Amino acid sequence: MRGRRALGALLPVVLLAGGCGIRATEVVEAGEPAVVQVMPAGQLGTVLYFVSSSSASRLMPVVRYAGPSGEGAGAGSGEEQPVGAVRALDLLFRGPTEAERDAGLRSELPGDRFKVSVELSAQGVRVALGTRVTGLSERARQQIFCTAAQARTADRSEAVTVTGTDGVLGPAHCSV
């Protein structure tokens, strides 16, 4: 009788160990991880796009807040003001802050100062830069497209056209 009980107790264990006929498979790649844009409630700022220094070199959104003088600053810098599209692009071309660089972010844009103008038209966002643009890398172009679309319309799917001193980029869309 004890033998039957022992056998009856072992039977479920044997069936579970056998996997009920389900074979093992390799890991299935499911694509890139989800990206969620987070903007703290009640604080005004803008989203800039910098390049991750990781091996993937993807664009990463960074929230910048404006201090009382309109300078991009961190949270807690006093009374916060909204940052317009022109100011957002100015901050973008200045590059990442020291803290952002320490976090592994970089820019592929030149750090030069030049005139920037932004307007919304029926064709999307139009950006005019007082610098050369046709030699910019694809990641640098995407930094401009994503930041301009987000700052001007809060919709990264908006078409962006960039005019520089040497030609025109776009219309193109943010790839993030």
Side-chain angles (χ1 to χ4, degrees), residues 96-107:
T97 63
E98 184 177 344
E100 292 162 351
R101 285 191 302 276
D102 290 346
L105 298 177
R106 61 185 172 80
S107 178

Side-chain angles (χ1 to χ4, degrees), residues 6-83:
L7 183 59
L10 287 176
L11 185 59
V13 174
V14 171
L15 288 176
L16 285 175
C20 300
I22 299 172
R23 291 179 286 197
T25 62
E26 295 294 319
V27 174
V28 177
E29 293 292 330
E32 295 293 320
V35 176
V36 178
Q37 184 172 318
V38 177
M39 187 86 130
Q43 295 179 335
L44 299 175
T46 191
V47 179
L48 308 177
Y49 289 83
F50 291 112
V51 181
S52 168
S53 293
S54 72
S55 61
S57 294
R58 287 183 286 192
L59 287 186
M60 302 295 292
V62 174
V63 178
R64 286 271 186 93
Y65 303 101
S69 66
E71 291 295 317
S77 62
E79 184 180 333
E80 293 166 356
Q81 304 293 323
V83 177

Side-chain angles (χ1 to χ4, degrees), residues 40-172:
Q43 295 179 335
L44 299 175
T46 191
V47 179
L48 308 177
Y49 289 83
F50 291 112
V51 181
S52 168
S53 293
S54 72
S55 61
S57 294
R58 287 183 286 192
L59 287 186
M60 302 295 292
V62 174
V63 178
R64 286 271 186 93
Y65 303 101
S69 66
E71 291 295 317
S77 62
E79 184 180 333
E80 293 166 356
Q81 304 293 323
V83 177
V86 170
R87 184 73 181 127
L89 288 169
D90 182 51
L91 290 171
L92 178 69
F93 274 92
R94 287 185 184 196
T97 63
E98 184 177 344
E100 292 162 351
R101 285 191 302 276
D102 290 346
L105 298 177
R106 61 185 172 80
S107 178
E108 290 195 4
L109 295 167
D112 304 332
R113 306 246 326 151
F114 45 82
K115 185 176 178 176
V116 177
S117 67
V118 181
E119 68 179 54
L120 189 58
S121 71
Q123 291 76 37
V125 180
R126 299 184 60 81
V127 177
L129 301 174
T131 189
R132 301 173 59 89
V133 296
T134 59
L136 294 174
S137 70
E138 183 56 32
R139 277 191 221 86
R141 293 174 184 202
Q142 284 296 317
Q143 284 184 260
I144 297 170
F145 296 149
C146 294
T147 300
Q150 180 79 36
R152 186 64 177 111
T153 68
D155 180 6
R156 290 188 320 260
S157 66
E158 189 75 41
V160 177
T161 303
V162 179
T163 303
T165 58
D166 63 342
V168 176
L169 303 175

